[in-house]
Amino acid sequence: MFKKDKHDKEDKHSDDKEEKKKDKDKKKHEKDEEKREKRDKHASVMESPKDKQQQQQQQQQQPPPTSSSHPSLQINNPPPSPGGPSVSYISKTPSTPAVDQSQTDAAAAAAAAAAEQKKKEEERKKKDAAEDERKKKEMQEREAEEKAKRREERKRKEREDAEAQRLKDIAFSQQQIDDEGNEEAEAQSLEAVKPDSSDSLTMFRDVYDVFPPEVFTAYDNLQNYARDLNTQIPVLEVVLVGPKGCGKSSIIEAIIGKPSNHVGAGVTKRPLFLQFINNPEFTSDPKVTLKRDITIQEYDHDVDVSLASLPSSLSSRNTTYTDEPIFVHYEHASVLNMTIIDTPGLLLSPSSSSSSSSSKDISSDGAKIDEITRKIIKPTHRLILAVENASDWDSTSMPSWVKKVDPELSRTTFVYTKFYNYLQDVNNTRAVNRFLSGTLPDVKSFFTTMPSLKIRAKFNETEKFKQKIWQSYRRDMNYLEQLQYDKRFEKSIGVHSLRRWLLNQAWKNYQDSIPRILKHLRSKKTASVEQLRDVDLQIDSLNSGKLRGIASNYVVSFLQILEQLLQGTVEGQPTINGQTLDEEKQGHGDGDWYGANNRPIKFDPATWGVLYWDSKLYGGQQFERLLSEFKAVSDHTDITEVTMDDVATAAGVNKLNNLPNYAWAACDLAGQKSQEALAPLIDQLCDRAIYIMKRLTDVAEKIADSRKKKWQSSYRTGVNTSSSSSSHHHHHHHSVKTNDISNIEQYPYFTHHVKDLYFKFVDKTAEKCKKKCMSEFMETKTIHWDYTENPQTQVLPVDRASMSIEDTRSTVFNLTKTMFTSLRNRIVRNVLLKFYNFFLVPIQNDLWGDIQGKVNSLSDADLEQIFEISATKDKLQEDKKYLSSVVQKCAEQD
């Protein structure tokens, strides 16, 4: 594809040249046309209309042509005479004046010149048209010829590209054959490797034991400590990147030290996150877990697989190129926590390194693979293993590719695979040392050789697998020693050196984390010792005397806040905790007032003069607004219609014959109508007053919480702030902790008990007040006595016989209405006074004695039950046990 792109560029360049040539010819043709038009214009200017007119006049005046060439002679040939010879006579005609003769000559010459010029112009135009046609034809022929040449050139290049690709495929296949080689020959080559005199017979196994078992035990303990301390050790993440077929998956097998034939799972199309987890439970075979895959519905759960079946499991998920990774957990006792990330093989052009431009894709998937890989290696905490086949340095591609992501190569390590194949072309010391020293300065590089796939598949037992890897390494070393290579590069040879370097990087993370975790550990130990001391003190001090002190402090603080709320204070934040009149009605639940016959009373509080109806209030001011609303509703309550039945019933049988019965009937009706109208309002007034008083507990709790937070803040900063009440000094003696027995929040049952005592006091007080208010509705006799002692201004009729039934009803109704108004005003005034005197005042004065008396009179057993002291002791004992274990564990870990 790279060559195809190159040919396309050449075709494009040829097309550009052709287009430029066309433009040049077109401009030349336009210039010729412009010159020709100028010549035509010049000729037309030279032959003016005046000259044309003179020519026409001269042509009209010119005599007809004669046989004589001289214009002044005329030959007269008379007819011949009979029988005689013919005789010709020449007669001379009279000549015109000289001026006329010269004009005639000039006109004739001008006409002849014009005709000649016109003829030449027509010939020139025909010649120019023919020339233009010829040029156009030549241009078309040239274009057709050039197109044919380009088509032929393109076909030739395509044939060359196809041939080059065929040769490349053949070379790649041959390379694969060379790489895999003859199975028997490669096996013999590896078996022929003899260990060095310093090598032991178990060297192939020993090189995998980089750390003793105690190291992994210590690592596991550190992981546990980190979890206990709510912290974690940074996990090393290594990303393998490189061209397709360079052996990245083979390196992963060598690092694991167990054959999995991962490379046989097909082309890697999705990033593979292989997460190594140190787990002491698995000492022989590892636990391999293929994590759930969110991209494939049938794999939406974790699956435990064997290492041998992992390739086939990966193959079923590795179907399309995508950046969604596959996660595999590898748990074993002899691994350190790290993550190795395998990426799809890059499709790069061989010459990308020699070009200053970026690496070019050679397939349609190249851009997608490049995007996936760059996304994976972008996080700066990840190390990069750039893997590539060993070759001459001017033909490598990975250094230039990696620099686009890691310009300084500060986190990049290069791994050059198939090292033995490259060494076959090196035959002297100078050449091998020049190659080994050609790595980038200050950048770690390794040279490795892995057994072929067939060899790894044949020797798939762990011991044999490790042996073949070691033999491949030893074969490289033997060849290098024969070439007398520079020993400085010894630690860069072999996959074992690469594996050892990776484990050391993970171990470095472990060592770097020890001081930080140790600091956390000692800090936790110190805090746990202090908490354990506090718990012991609390257990010792948890007795009835301590509880009575806690109870007394809370009650005093609670009652003081209630008293302040009734007197008036903004500490409760009225904009947040206050209520408008509408919010109060909604919070209470009943909403509107209801009068006689249970009908709602609709009104505008502003029109009726209700105080602070749109202000957010609580406490005493909210109670004042309620009384104002009650008075407004009562003052607008009128007597209902009085029927004749009501009048007759109130007066009694046969009692309307005398005048005094009019007053009796009116008194009875006024008493009944006033009770029907005002009693429901008093009931609602009482319920609303109870609601207002009870909601003060919520406001009081918020004030207490706010005070506590302010005190804790000033305590931490060392600033002494003055409290708004004396209860603040009593309630907080030290900072509140979750297990602090002085913290009242640990005793919700007791705080509920105090609130319940307050609620019962409010209900009892409201009931007493309500009874006193209902006593305002007097008997008919009392009302009649008051009427007779204080007669109304209205005069009752004297003549009973002259009155109709309607007149009687009207007279009694008018008197009843007058009495109703008087009774209503008296009752409303007295109800307001009684709610002040028998409801608000007792809450302000008697509440303290009532609640404190009941709390102080509690027996020790009742106090411990209300405080749930047994549950508190059990909780403290659990805390003590836990803290003791933490202190002991911290000491052991330290």
Side-chain angles (χ1 to χ4, degrees):
M1 186 172 180
F2 172 72
K3 291 184 178 180
K4 185 177 180 182
D5 293 341
K6 183 177 180 181
H7 296 162
D8 290 342
K9 288 187 177 179
E10 292 176 354
D11 293 343
K12 184 176 179 183
H13 182 65
S14 177
D15 292 341
D16 291 341
K17 292 177 64 178
E18 182 181 351
E19 290 296 331
K20 291 181 180 179
K21 187 174 182 181
K22 287 182 180 180
D23 293 340
K24 186 176 181 181
D25 294 341
K26 184 177 180 182
K27 290 180 180 179
K28 183 178 180 182
H29 180 70
E30 291 176 351
K31 288 182 179 180
D32 294 341
E33 289 290 338
E34 185 178 355
K35 289 180 180 179
R36 187 161 53 250
E37 290 176 358
K38 287 182 179 179
R39 287 197 301 268
D40 295 342
K41 185 176 181 181
H42 180 71
S44 63
V45 171
M46 293 297 294
E47 186 179 359
S48 64
K50 185 175 180 180
D51 295 336
K52 291 181 180 180
Q53 185 177 3
Q54 290 177 356
Q55 291 176 7
Q56 291 176 359
Q57 291 176 356
Q58 292 172 0
Q59 291 175 1
Q60 291 175 359
Q61 294 174 0
Q62 185 176 359
T66 62
S67 60
S68 174
S69 61
H70 199 284
S72 65
L73 295 179
Q74 182 176 357
I75 301 177
N76 296 323
N77 296 319
S81 64
S86 298
V87 181
S88 298
Y89 297 92
I90 301 175
S91 61
K92 187 174 181 180
T93 59
S95 60
T96 57
V99 177
D100 294 338
Q101 183 64 35
S102 63
Q103 290 179 349
T104 301
D105 295 341
E116 184 68 21
Q117 179 68 26
K118 185 176 181 181
K119 182 178 179 181
K120 290 181 178 180
E121 184 66 26
E122 289 177 354
E123 290 178 355
R124 186 185 61 77
K125 287 184 178 180
K126 289 181 181 179
K127 185 177 180 181
D128 290 344
E131 181 67 18
D132 291 342
E133 184 67 23
R134 185 186 64 79
K135 289 181 179 180
K136 184 177 180 181
K137 187 175 180 180
E138 288 180 355
M139 184 181 296
Q140 290 176 349
E141 291 176 354
R142 188 164 54 251
E143 289 178 356
E145 184 179 354
E146 289 177 353
K147 287 183 178 178
K149 288 182 179 180
R150 286 199 302 272
R151 283 196 300 270
E152 185 64 27
E153 182 68 18
R154 188 180 299 110
K155 290 180 180 179
R156 184 184 63 80
K157 290 180 179 180
E158 289 177 355
R159 288 194 300 269
E160 290 179 356
D161 291 343
E163 181 64 16
Q165 185 64 36
R166 186 182 68 83
L167 294 175
K168 185 177 180 180
D169 293 341
I170 294 174
F172 181 77
S173 300
Q174 185 62 39
Q175 182 66 31
Q176 290 293 102
I177 295 174
D178 294 341
D179 289 345
E180 301 302 332
N182 185 293
E183 178 183 345
E184 190 65 28
E186 183 179 5
Q188 292 177 359
S189 173
L190 294 176
E191 289 295 335
V193 173
K194 301 300 181 183
D196 189 75
S197 58
S198 60
D199 296 338
S200 65
L201 296 177
T202 59
M203 177 60 71
F204 67 89
R205 189 186 309 115
D206 297 339
V207 291
Y208 272 89
D209 298 333
V210 178
F211 299 124
E214 293 78 9
V215 169
F216 297 102
T217 303
Y219 187 84
D220 178 64
N221 291 336
L222 186 65
Q223 292 284 9
N224 294 332
Y225 302 159
R227 283 192 293 268
D228 292 342
L229 296 172
N230 255 349
T231 185
Q232 59 182 359
I233 300 174
V235 176
L236 178 68
E237 293 186 359
V238 183
V239 186
L240 275 74
V241 297
K244 179 182 176 182
C246 65
K248 299 189 300 298
S249 301
S250 302
I251 290 177
I252 294 178
E253 287 186 12
I255 292 173
I256 296 174
K258 294 180 181 293
S260 65
N261 293 332
H262 172 60
V263 291
V267 178
T268 302
K269 295 185 177 181
R270 296 173 60 184
L272 173 64
F273 280 63
L274 185 57
Q275 297 176 327
F276 294 91
I277 301 173
N278 179 265
N279 192 336
E281 296 181 6
F282 302 97
T283 56
S284 56
D285 294 331
K287 178 185 178 182
V288 182
T289 304
L290 197 55
K291 306 300 287 185
R292 69 185 187 93
D293 197 331
I294 61 175
T295 62
I296 306 176
Q297 185 175 3
E298 59 182 306
Y299 300 128
D300 60 351
H301 56 281
D302 295 352
V303 179
D304 291 340
V305 297
S306 64
L307 194 60
S309 63
L310 179 60
S312 59
S313 299
L314 291 175
S315 180
S316 61
R317 306 187 185 199
N318 211 4
T319 55
T320 57
Y321 286 107
T322 175
D323 58 357
E324 288 294 337
I326 302 174
F327 291 93
V328 177
H329 284 187
Y330 183 97
E331 301 179 51
H332 196 265
S334 59
V335 298
L336 299 178
N337 289 3
M338 75 168 70
T339 300
I340 295 180
I341 306 172
D342 191 12
T343 58
L346 299 173
L347 304 179
L348 304 177
S349 63
S351 59
S352 62
S353 62
S354 60
S355 173
S356 60
S357 61
S358 61
S359 301
K360 300 177 179 63
D361 301 322
I362 61 173
S363 77
S364 59
D365 295 322
K368 183 65 175 177
I369 297 173
D370 193 87
E371 179 184 358
I372 293 173
T373 306
R374 291 181 189 275
K375 183 178 179 181
I376 293 295
I377 65 177
K378 185 177 181 180
T380 56
H381 69 279
R382 289 176 177 169
L383 298 183
I384 303 173
L385 279 189
V387 184
E388 187 174 10
N389 292 342
S391 61
D392 293 335
W393 294 119
D394 57 356
S395 62
T396 57
S397 58
M398 287 310 297
S400 59
W401 188 92
V402 174
K403 282 184 178 180
K404 297 165 192 170
V405 182
D406 184 19
E408 302 297 329
L409 299 177
S410 58
R411 53 190 182 96
T412 301
T413 298
F414 290 97
V415 180
Y416 299 99
T417 59
K418 302 178 183 178
F419 185 46
Y420 184 74
N421 292 346
Y422 178 81
L423 290 178
Q424 302 308 301
D425 297 330
V426 180
N427 53 18
N428 60 75
T429 303
R430 182 178 180 182
V432 72
N433 287 333
R434 182 171 61 249
F435 174 76
L436 293 175
S437 61
T439 57
L440 296 173
D442 301 325
V443 179
K444 197 73 175 176
S445 299
F446 293 94
F447 303 90
T448 65
T449 300
M450 286 289 294
S452 65
L453 173 60
K454 290 183 178 180
I455 294 296
R456 298 200 304 274
K458 180 178 181 180
F459 300 95
N460 57 5
E461 296 179 2
T462 301
E463 292 291 311
K464 291 291 185 181
F465 176 76
K466 291 182 178 180
Q467 186 179 31
K468 294 307 171 186
I469 292 177
W470 182 85
Q471 288 175 346
S472 297
Y473 157 73
R474 190 67 255 177
R475 183 178 59 182
D476 291 349
M477 292 301 298
N478 290 344
Y479 195 86
L480 289 172
E481 289 170 357
Q482 290 176 8
L483 295 175
Q484 297 180 351
Y485 80 108
D486 192 335
K487 293 287 186 178
R488 292 178 301 171
F489 302 107
E490 182 177 4
K491 292 184 178 180
S492 299
I493 310 300
V495 72
H496 304 100
S497 298
L498 171 62
R499 182 176 183 273
R500 186 180 302 107
W501 177 80
L502 285 176
L503 292 178
N504 284 332
Q505 294 298 312
W507 183 254
K508 184 176 182 298
N509 283 357
Y510 165 84
Q511 291 177 318
D512 293 342
S513 301
I514 289 178
R516 175 174 53 85
I517 293 179
L518 188 60
K519 181 179 179 181
H520 280 283
L521 185 65
R522 291 173 178 173
S523 176
K524 183 176 182 179
K525 177 183 176 182
T526 302
S528 299
V529 170
E530 293 179 357
Q531 292 177 358
L532 183 60
R533 188 186 306 113
D534 291 341
V535 169
D536 289 333
L537 292 175
Q538 291 176 67
I539 292 175
D540 295 338
S541 61
L542 198 58
N543 50 51
S544 58
K546 180 70 174 180
L547 296 179
R548 290 190 186 278
I550 296 173
S552 177
N553 289 340
Y554 175 75
V555 169
V556 169
S557 175
F558 175 73
L559 294 176
Q560 283 182 341
I561 294 175
L562 289 179
E563 184 178 5
Q564 290 178 356
L565 292 173
L566 291 174
Q567 290 177 351
T569 178
V570 296
E571 190 178 1
Q573 297 181 329
T575 56
I576 298 175
N577 300 315
Q579 290 180 332
T580 63
L581 185 58
D582 289 339
E583 291 173 346
E584 178 185 330
K585 291 179 178 180
Q586 293 174 4
H588 179 245
D590 288 344
D592 296 325
W593 293 83
Y594 287 86
N597 301 323
N598 202 30
R599 293 179 179 177
I601 301 174
K602 301 290 186 179
F603 66 95
D604 180 19
T607 304
W608 283 13
V610 178
L611 299 175
Y612 306 115
W613 63 273
D614 60 343
S615 299
K616 288 181 172 290
L617 306 176
Y618 53 67
Q621 196 61 45
Q622 189 175 7
F623 179 74
E624 289 280 356
R625 183 178 64 190
L626 173 63
L627 297 183
S628 173
E629 184 186 13
F630 170 77
K631 186 177 184 304
V633 173
S634 300
D635 289 346
H636 289 81
T637 301
D638 295 328
I639 189 173
T640 57
E641 187 65 26
V642 176
T643 64
M644 191 60 202
D645 295 337
D646 294 333
V647 174
T649 303
V653 180
N654 298 325
K655 289 186 178 181
L656 291 179
N657 295 327
N658 52 72
L659 292 178
N661 285 340
Y662 282 135
W664 176 269
C667 292
D668 184 68
L669 287 172
Q672 292 299 322
K673 293 296 182 179
S674 63
Q675 187 168 358
E676 289 177 2
L678 298 178
L681 299 181
I682 294 174
D683 286 337
Q684 294 172 70
L685 172 63
C686 186
D687 292 341
R688 289 269 295 279
I690 293 173
Y691 166 75
I692 290 173
M693 293 301 170
K694 287 186 176 181
R695 71 176 295 267
L696 291 181
T697 58
D698 296 334
V699 182
E701 283 185 346
K702 293 179 181 179
I703 292 176
D705 290 340
S706 177
R707 290 179 179 180
K708 184 186 300 181
K709 291 177 182 178
K710 290 180 181 178
W711 184 89
Q712 290 176 347
S713 177
S714 63
Y715 180 84
R716 286 192 298 266
T717 56
V719 178
N720 295 323
T721 57
S722 59
S723 63
S724 58
S725 67
S726 61
S727 65
H728 188 67
H729 298 284
H730 294 294
H731 192 55
H732 302 286
H733 296 288
H734 48 79
S735 62
V736 179
K737 302 178 183 178
T738 56
N739 60 348
D740 183 5
I741 63 172
S742 298
N743 183 11
I744 197 63
E745 293 177 358
Q746 294 194 68
Y747 311 109
Y749 191 72
F750 172 74
T751 57
H752 176 75
H753 176 71
V754 174
K755 292 178 185 177
D756 185 61
L757 292 177
Y758 170 69
F759 290 163
K760 288 179 178 179
F761 181 85
V762 170
D763 291 335
K764 181 179 65 175
T765 305
E767 187 64 27
K768 289 181 180 180
C769 179
K770 181 179 178 180
K771 287 181 180 179
K772 291 185 179 295
C773 291
M774 290 300 179
S775 65
E776 290 294 324
F777 300 107
M778 297 181 294
E779 297 288 338
T780 304
K781 291 180 180 181
T782 306
I783 298 173
H784 187 267
W785 177 83
D786 181 67
Y787 173 76
T788 55
E789 291 296 323
N790 302 289
Q792 304 295 323
T793 57
Q794 182 177 356
V795 179
L796 295 174
V798 178
D799 187 4
R800 166 70 180 84
S802 63
M803 294 180 62
S804 65
I805 294 177
E806 178 58 27
D807 292 338
T808 302
R809 188 202 65 78
S810 178
T811 300
V812 174
F813 175 74
N814 290 335
L815 181 58
T816 302
K817 186 175 182 180
T818 301
M819 291 182 178
F820 175 83
T821 302
S822 177
L823 289 174
R824 182 193 64 193
N825 293 339
R826 179 184 56 79
I827 292 172
V828 170
R829 182 176 65 254
N830 291 342
V831 166
L832 295 177
L833 291 174
K834 288 183 178 180
F835 261 87
Y836 272 113
N837 189 57
F838 297 108
F839 183 73
L840 182 60
V841 173
I843 292 177
Q844 292 177 321
N845 297 339
D846 301 339
L847 179 63
W848 279 75
D850 184 85
I851 294 182
Q852 280 188 318
K854 290 180 178 179
V855 171
N856 292 336
S857 63
L858 291 172
S859 64
D860 293 346
D862 293 338
L863 200 61
E864 290 184 0
Q865 183 178 0
I866 293 174
F867 272 86
E868 297 179 308
I869 200 64
S870 58
T872 303
K873 286 183 177 180
D874 293 342
K875 174 65 169 55
L876 290 173
Q877 291 293 345
E878 291 178 1
D879 292 345
K880 180 179 180 179
K881 183 178 179 181
Y882 168 75
L883 291 172
S884 298
S885 64
V886 169
V887 171
Q888 182 178 359
K889 190 173 183 180
C890 288
E892 294 174 354
Q893 294 171 351
D894 196 2

